[in-house]
Amino acid sequence: MRKILFNQKELSSNEIRRMRDFDLVLKKVQAQRDFWKNPWFFGTIGFASILSFLLFI
């Protein structure tokens, strides 16, 4: 199902400039890049690896 919006108000150049926040974008990219440094990542991957190894032997 697609949502179609009719008669939307067009944003002016000033409104677009005011909403830009490149610092927030960079913070989100950095957070996504460092997800593998989280100890829960290796715990989950390790558990899944051991479980799949034990199940398929």
Side-chain angles (χ1 to χ4, degrees):
M1 179 177 188
R2 290 187 180 186
K3 184 176 182 179
I4 300 173
L5 301 174
F6 293 103
N7 299 329
Q8 276 191 321
K9 179 185 149 194
E10 290 190 26
L11 298 174
S12 68
S13 297
N14 290 334
E15 289 174 320
I16 293 172
R17 249 185 257 118
R18 189 181 55 200
M19 286 188 270
R20 285 194 231 173
D21 189 3
F22 293 113
D23 292 332
L24 180 63
V25 172
L26 290 174
K27 285 179 188 176
K28 286 184 179 183
V29 168
Q30 186 65 30
Q32 287 179 351
R33 187 180 296 164
D34 294 338
F35 80 98
W36 60 271
K37 292 181 181 177
N38 188 344
W40 283 103
F41 174 77
F42 287 113
T44 306
I45 297 298
F47 178 73
S49 301
I50 291 170
L51 184 66
S52 63
F53 179 75
L54 293 176
L55 288 176
F56 292 113
I57 287 185

